[in-house]
Amino acid sequence: MKRHQRRRTSARALGLSAAVLSAAAAAFTYAPAAGAAAPHDATGLSAAHVSGAVRTVRYDLGNEAWHLPQTGEPVELAGVVHYPADLGRGQHPLIVMLHGWHETCADRAADAARTAAESSGDDAAYEAASAKLFAWPCAAGTPALPSDAGYDYLGRSLAAQGFVVVSIGANGVNASSVWGDDNAAARSDLVNQHLRLWQELSSKGGGALAGAFVDPATGAQRDVGFAHHVDMGDVGIMGHSRAGAGVTWLAADSHRGQWPKGVDVRAVAAVAPAYNVMTEDMSAYTITKTPFAVLRGTCDGQVGGEAFAFAADAAKEDRGGFYRFAIHGANHNYFNTQWSPQSGQVAASDDATPVEGHPGQCTDREDAAPARELTEAQQRRVAVTYLGAFFDRYLLGDTRQDQVLTGARHPDAAITEVDVTTAGPS
């Protein structure tokens, strides 16, 4: 890890083909098996509503709009939303995505100072620079690092499949003093707070989100008819890095009672989950009812094999279904575009461990078998494939994705190997 411490309404087997997928998501869009049935209208949703244009809005209720129950520290309530341009007459499942632990403020001077301090061994200077990079709210004139926008590629692709997708900010959690299990609980609490907002908006057309959506580029207000078009009884959750631990906590049997009234979480995915700072008491993470998928790259430089081991222990009695996907050549950061070098963003890096004498090969911090390192685009394409199949299967009821989820079919074989381990629903 980094040095700084601190009744189902959506049984819609919607057949999608590559030919009809949104141009906005074409570069990363998941496509089901050839010969799939044509899209049909089960709850007021037509093919145009699940494969047409995708639109994007943001909401931001303020950097201190919410406070952590654990410590009272301030957290933003903000997110970026991707959704089908034509919401149609029916309801769309909601997917909430949450980023993990990363720098909160895009302070280039502080980033340079930290790098210099690390090279010289000046611990005091290192900590002073880190404090600026992990502040919340950020200092005046310093932009917040938009980790929530790092999954736009995934959000667009999922929206093209018919989902309403919101990626929420957690900079306040990252800058807070909460640690270990409290950190997982805080991230779970944050997701639940957003779910409350969406439940109020969807069921009543009101609440804090009513009138809060804006154009991401211009900031102009955008009126979007989400009311009565978001199915809060058919919700998926995705968490990356420490948020992977957070969504595991959220889906655990012992915490289902904390879900907001009217909300039912039907599928949970943990991407490169950082369980290594969590407790060994599994009771807080045990999942027996909710379909659960875990992805990790074989070149992850931050999260080790415990990601799979911990998840398997948490889900060993999961009757909903459990899936593990080991992506050869994938690292930790490339799942989030803001954390990846091509973004040019502060603190972006390639965390894979190079293999000496073998250019282009990588391993992880536990010396996994060398693999060809994936490019940023390749890694995201594979993530879209498996996350798209998982949510399509468990939120839309499309059983044709079973071949992908069990490893019987490998859509991305030309890109890399993916080791699939599964314990299907009982």
Side-chain angles (χ1 to χ4, degrees):
M1 298 303 292
K2 299 178 185 177
R3 178 177 174 182
H4 183 65
Q5 298 291 319
R6 300 269 203 242
R7 175 205 66 183
R8 186 175 186 129
T9 60
S10 297
R12 300 186 289 270
L14 300 176
L16 305 178
S17 67
V20 298
L21 289 167
S22 165
F28 296 106
T29 298
Y30 170 78
H40 66 276
D41 186 349
T43 61
L45 299 176
S46 68
H49 302 140
V50 298
S51 61
V54 169
R55 291 182 180 169
T56 303
V57 291
R58 287 192 63 88
Y59 62 92
D60 188 345
L61 305 184
N63 290 334
E64 301 179 77
W66 189 63
H67 292 79
L68 293 176
Q70 293 80 6
T71 64
E73 292 167 286
V75 180
E76 73 273 33
L77 287 178
V80 55
V81 187
H82 300 285
Y83 62 99
D86 183 356
L87 290 170
R89 302 183 306 277
Q91 290 188 314
H92 299 256
L94 177 72
I95 296 175
V96 177
M97 304 191 294
L98 179 63
H99 66 85
W101 191 70
H102 193 74
E103 285 77 358
T104 60
C105 301
D107 187 329
R108 295 192 180 277
D111 192 32
R114 183 177 62 174
T115 300
E118 186 169 30
S119 297
S120 66
D122 188 338
D123 287 344
Y126 183 94
E127 293 301 329
S130 292
K132 294 180 180 179
L133 290 165
F134 282 90
W136 195 254
C138 299
T142 300
L145 204 152
S147 291
D148 57 347
Y151 312 105
D152 282 353
Y153 69 96
L154 179 58
R156 286 192 295 267
S157 182
L158 291 170
Q161 289 176 234
F163 301 107
V164 172
V165 186
V166 54
S167 178
I168 63 177
N171 280 331
V173 178
N174 289 347
S176 74
S177 61
V178 292
W179 193 251
D181 291 334
D182 283 344
N183 191 277
R187 295 181 191 276
S188 175
D189 290 339
L190 178 60
V191 172
N192 280 328
Q193 182 63 17
H194 281 268
L195 290 174
R196 289 185 188 94
L197 295 173
W198 279 91
Q199 168 64 7
E200 189 169 14
L201 178 68
S202 180
S203 63
K204 303 176 183 177
L209 292 184
F213 298 104
V214 300
D215 183 286
T218 68
Q221 185 174 355
R222 291 287 180 263
D223 293 325
V224 186
F226 288 125
H228 311 297
H229 288 298
V230 182
D231 189 349
M232 300 304 297
D234 199 16
V235 172
I237 309 291
M238 186 281 282
H240 177 205
S241 193
R242 289 195 192 175
V247 300
T248 307
W249 179 282
L250 181 147
D253 292 6
S254 57
H255 303 130
R256 290 169 65 94
Q258 297 173 12
W259 300 350
K261 184 178 180 180
V263 172
D264 194 357
V265 177
R266 295 283 188 168
V268 172
V271 177
Y275 297 120
N276 50 327
V277 294
M278 306 305 163
T279 184
E280 304 223 353
D281 177 7
M282 295 305 302
S283 62
Y285 296 91
T286 299
I287 300 171
T288 69
K289 301 175 183 179
T290 307
F292 182 30
V294 180
L295 289 75
R296 177 186 176 267
T298 65
C299 294
D300 193 316
Q302 298 190 47
V303 168
E306 77 282 344
F308 282 155
F310 191 103
D313 285 344
K316 64 183 177 181
E317 297 180 13
D318 192 348
R319 298 183 298 276
F322 175 59
Y323 305 89
R324 291 188 298 180
F325 306 108
I327 305 172
H328 289 233
N331 67 15
H332 191 84
N333 284 349
Y334 285 6
F335 290 115
N336 187 303
T337 63
Q338 295 295 312
W339 302 0
S340 304
Q342 288 183 6
S343 70
Q345 184 58 267
V346 168
S349 68
D350 174 0
D351 61 279
T353 301
V355 179
E356 186 175 356
H358 297 274
Q361 297 283 302
C362 63
T363 183
D364 65 4
R365 62 182 190 151
E366 298 172 340
D367 296 323
R372 179 182 59 82
E373 183 170 8
L374 299 181
T375 66
E376 294 183 24
Q378 288 173 332
Q379 180 166 328
R380 292 167 199 148
R381 174 58 189 256
V382 178
V384 163
T385 292
Y386 287 90
L387 290 169
F390 177 68
F391 286 123
D392 199 25
R393 170 63 178 87
Y394 287 104
L395 300 184
L396 295 179
D398 189 351
T399 58
R400 291 167 301 147
Q401 311 316 329
D402 289 350
Q403 287 191 329
V404 177
L405 297 178
T406 61
R409 188 167 70 86
H410 293 275
D412 295 324
I415 298 176
T416 192
E417 296 180 57
V418 179
D419 298 332
V420 178
T421 304
T422 181
S426 59

